[in-house]
Amino acid sequence: MDTNVSDVLPNVRLEVTESTPLLSDNSSNSPPDAPKWRKAAIIACGLVQQFVSVGLGFGLSVMYPELINIFNSRRSNAALIQGLYMGLSTGGGILWAPLIQKYGPGKSVLVGSLVTCVGLLASSFAEELWTIILCTGVIAGMGMCTCYLSAFITVSWVFHKDPGVPLVCLTMGSSLGQFVIPYLYEICIEKYAWSGAFILVSGISLQCIPFGLIMYGAQEYFVTGKKASKRKSVCETSLLTDVLVWILLVNCLLVALTGNVEAWFIVDILMSRGFSRQAGSLLVSIIGAANFLGRVSGTFIKFKFTRTPTIAHWVYICPFIALAHALVISLEDYYAIMGACILQGAFFGVTNSQTPALMYEAAGHNRYPQAMSLVNLMYGFGNLLSNVLGGIIRDELGEYDLAFYISVCTALYMTFSSLVATLIIWRRRKEEETRQRWDGNYETVISF
């Protein structure tokens, strides 16, 4: 006698284990996976955005002592130019993140690069310092922030399956900009004075336009947070209640606040010790080169240790950064200072390269645009305060030593906070693995 399972267990509903394409397969509605050449082009576009946006900001450290002499200005006022530009270009993206998501990164890059060009060009006609603060610090900074943030969003949308290594690789563009563009400032100032230099560097921002067009043409491959998940998307406000996210955000704030004191002020420090502006400009570029090597190393570390939480590497990196800060301000010989700058630039480059990946690990794909906007906001506040506070310390105390001692202390603090964040991530992973095993056992019982 044949017995039907439904007759024995009338309340149990059986489902076919194989997927029915018409009912459960959403692949026809999902964007196609980008080919390798397209992904390579997207990474190249992101590298250019980072190269231009960050490079222009670090180049202002060469302009900094020149404008102090030309306008007979206090250092705290002149520092506002670089501070506002770096603060807004890295942190202002949180204001435009909804528009970038609505209209797309490509269009945002086109508009942002044009606005930046206008701001830098207008600075060349300034007759007082506050005009440059407004045009370069505010207008150019607000324009370039869309290019800076669009690079991260585009890469995360194209490499939506595993964006960790591409995001780390992306940050190498900023160190290349720090290496190349400051010395271009030096050449332009030497040949065409400060006003001519602003005219020439304004054209650098326009280099973002063709790469913005490439990003615009890749929209069919974008997988946003809503498309990437079949579950209900997590509310963005959950970022503000996540302890791990806050630990990482504070670390990012401190990185921007203290990590670039060498790059911001080394030109002025060396000139106050009797060295030339050219010698200081060379050190800014050397820091950029060391930073690039550090970012390459950070990319390799992320690729090699994929299962290790990214923030775990900060536990042993931050003490070396603290040591480098102490050496730079303590040494007197030019080549000894150069060695300390190389040490600082290399290890600082590793931490900077890993920031997008560690925030992706903490926030996930759905929340990543908002999370990266918060990271950039922390960078913005840190860059602004770093420049301004450094200028105030120099004006009031006659030297930058206090700024470097504060940097040493914050690097040591980040060592311990990174250890705490690592422990939290390991605990969450263990809890997630336990939950998945429980769900798997439960489904096995039901299937049986």
Side-chain angles (χ1 to χ4, degrees):
M1 178 179 177
D2 295 335
T3 303
N4 197 342
V5 176
S6 60
D7 295 334
V8 179
L9 300 174
N11 295 325
V12 175
R13 181 170 58 90
L14 300 180
E15 294 182 356
V16 180
T17 57
E18 296 182 358
S19 299
T20 304
L22 292 177
L23 298 178
S24 60
D25 190 0
N26 293 337
S27 60
S28 60
N29 296 325
S30 300
D33 191 37
K36 292 182 179 180
W37 69 268
R38 177 75 74 171
K39 291 182 177 180
I42 291 299
I43 290 181
C45 292
L47 288 172
V48 171
Q49 312 305 321
Q50 299 293 300
F51 176 89
V52 173
S53 60
V54 177
L56 287 174
F58 279 102
L60 292 172
S61 63
V62 180
M63 189 74 75
Y64 171 65
E66 185 73 9
L67 295 178
I68 291 173
N69 294 330
I70 294 296
F71 294 98
N72 193 25
S73 168
R74 290 174 56 88
R75 284 171 171 79
S76 56
N77 292 335
L80 278 173
I81 301 172
Q82 188 175 28
L84 284 170
Y85 174 87
M86 291 298 295
L88 292 174
S89 63
T90 56
I94 194 171
L95 301 175
W96 310 114
L99 294 178
I100 293 174
Q101 290 182 281
K102 180 178 181 180
Y103 296 105
K107 293 180 180 179
S108 303
V109 168
L110 299 180
V111 175
S113 60
L114 290 173
V115 172
T116 303
C117 179
V118 171
L120 292 172
L121 186 62
S123 298
S124 65
F125 302 100
E127 296 183 355
E128 56 183 16
L129 186 68
W130 288 102
T131 303
I132 302 177
I133 293 174
L134 174 62
C135 294
T136 296
V138 179
I139 297 177
M142 288 298 290
M144 194 50 66
C145 72
T146 59
C147 302
Y148 184 83
L149 181 58
S150 293
F152 291 105
I153 293 178
T154 304
V155 170
S156 69
W157 284 355
V158 173
F159 295 86
H160 57 93
K161 293 181 180 179
D162 187 14
V165 174
L167 286 172
V168 173
C169 180
L170 179 65
T171 64
M172 289 190 289
S174 60
S175 58
L176 288 174
Q178 183 182 351
F179 171 58
V180 175
I181 295 182
Y183 216 72
L184 289 179
Y185 270 83
E186 174 60 37
I187 295 173
C188 293
I189 293 173
E190 186 70 23
K191 291 185 176 295
Y192 305 105
W194 67 271
S195 58
F198 271 118
I199 294 176
L200 294 175
V201 298
S202 66
I204 297 178
S205 64
L206 298 179
Q207 307 309 308
C208 294
I209 291 180
F211 295 93
L213 291 174
I214 295 175
M215 295 164 66
Y216 177 76
Q219 291 184 107
E220 60 179 307
Y221 304 107
F222 290 171
V223 178
T224 63
K226 293 181 180 179
K227 295 179 181 178
S229 177
K230 298 178 183 179
R231 297 176 299 176
K232 184 179 179 180
S233 60
V234 181
C235 182
E236 291 82 359
T237 55
S238 63
L239 291 169
L240 302 179
T241 59
D242 192 327
V243 175
L244 175 61
V245 170
W246 271 110
I247 292 176
L248 299 180
L249 288 177
V250 172
N251 273 7
C252 291
L253 174 64
L254 296 178
V255 163
L257 181 65
T258 62
N260 284 314
V261 287
E262 286 83 3
W264 294 160
F265 304 117
I266 196 65
V267 179
D268 195 36
I269 290 173
L270 290 183
M271 290 180 67
S272 66
R273 295 182 180 182
F275 295 97
S276 65
R277 189 188 65 223
Q278 290 80 1
S281 302
L282 178 62
L283 280 191
V284 175
S285 293
I286 288 177
I287 293 173
N291 200 282
F292 173 76
L293 295 177
R295 290 174 193 260
V296 172
S297 301
T299 303
F300 174 78
I301 291 172
K302 178 61 183 174
F303 178 78
K304 186 69 175 178
F305 303 98
T306 54
R307 286 292 301 166
T308 302
T310 305
I311 191 63
H313 301 295
W314 288 33
V315 176
Y316 62 85
I317 290 172
C318 289
F320 285 100
I321 297 176
L323 175 63
H325 287 317
L327 291 175
V328 168
I329 203 61
S330 301
L331 299 173
E332 295 292 336
D333 180 72
Y334 180 78
Y335 292 103
I337 296 174
M338 180 184 296
C341 287
I342 292 173
L343 178 67
Q344 189 274 338
F347 283 100
F348 185 61
V350 177
T351 61
N352 266 326
S353 69
Q354 295 174 342
T355 301
L358 65 87
M359 186 52 67
Y360 190 90
E361 293 172 2
H365 186 85
N366 288 342
R367 301 187 298 174
Y368 183 70
Q370 291 77 20
M372 201 60 209
S373 297
L374 290 174
V375 170
N376 292 340
L377 181 63
M378 294 297 104
Y379 276 149
F381 279 125
N383 287 327
L384 174 59
L385 294 174
S386 178
N387 281 271
V388 174
L389 292 177
I392 293 174
I393 289 173
R394 176 63 173 82
D395 286 335
E396 299 299 326
L397 303 180
E399 56 187 17
Y400 291 100
D401 291 21
L402 179 59
F404 281 82
Y405 295 145
I406 293 174
S407 301
V408 171
C409 294
T410 56
L412 295 176
Y413 163 79
M414 286 189 291
T415 300
F416 295 102
S417 63
S418 299
L419 178 60
V420 172
T422 302
L423 296 176
I424 294 175
I425 292 175
W426 280 122
R427 188 193 68 184
R428 290 185 178 182
R429 286 185 178 181
K430 188 175 181 179
E431 291 175 350
E432 179 66 18
E433 291 173 357
T434 302
R435 186 190 65 80
Q436 290 179 354
R437 285 197 300 268
W438 172 260
D439 290 346
N441 294 334
Y442 179 76
E443 291 175 359
T444 300
V445 173
I446 294 300
S447 299
F448 176 79

